[in-house]
Amino acid sequence: MTMRLPIATFTVLVLATATALSAHAQSTMDYAQAKQRADADEASLHALTSRAMRDAQARVLDDAIARCAAPDADTSPFVVVAELDAAGKVVHTWRDGGTALATCVQAQIAGRTLPAPPRTPFLTSFELSFTP
């Protein structure tokens, strides 16, 4: 016996499967892939949108550093890549750098909100290096 689905049901199933596969593909992205994607996403922004994003990132970083900094913190360079949802909320992060400061900053960035991106998913990066 052959079962036929109505076209609307079939379409919903196909879209649901595609969405699930896309979400799975994103969740299996490693740091290098996420950073490459963030660089491309950031480069695609209009100049005014880019400035607004950088300004918002600076505010988030200022807060994170204030919460995480310690006088004896290891200030080795590190990068945190953040995936934003449609509202600009950070829904996933990746980190390159294993210091306590890097780990703390990543935790502070997670769940924060930046300007709503022009598309989703949208990745952006926070690159930190400290100079005396």
Side-chain angles (χ1 to χ4, degrees):
M1 176 160 107
T2 303
M3 186 170 147
R4 297 184 125 193
L5 294 174
I7 191 72
T9 302
F10 178 74
T11 302
V12 168
L13 289 173
V14 168
L15 290 174
T17 301
T19 301
L21 289 173
S22 173
H24 177 70
Q26 287 175 293
S27 67
T28 61
M29 191 181 316
D30 66 13
Y31 167 80
Q33 293 166 321
K35 179 63 170 99
Q36 183 177 27
R37 173 76 184 273
D39 290 346
D41 284 353
E42 290 169 340
S44 73
L45 292 176
H46 181 275
L48 291 175
T49 305
S50 179
R51 182 179 177 130
M53 183 67 72
R54 283 192 316 271
D55 290 348
Q57 284 178 297
R59 289 188 297 275
V60 167
L61 272 179
D62 286 347
D63 183 55
I65 295 296
R67 292 172 185 262
C68 297
D72 61 344
D74 180 344
T75 55
S76 298
F78 65 92
V79 178
V80 175
V81 176
E83 178 185 337
L84 308 180
D85 68 10
K89 183 177 179 183
V90 175
V91 295
H92 192 89
T93 60
W94 297 261
R95 183 186 73 247
D96 182 32
T99 66
L101 181 59
T103 302
C104 181
V105 168
Q106 179 185 19
Q108 292 297 315
I109 290 170
R112 297 294 298 266
T113 301
L114 296 168
R119 64 189 168 284
T120 57
F122 185 89
L123 278 68
T124 189
S125 63
F126 296 77
E127 299 184 38
L128 287 93
S129 61
F130 302 89
T131 54

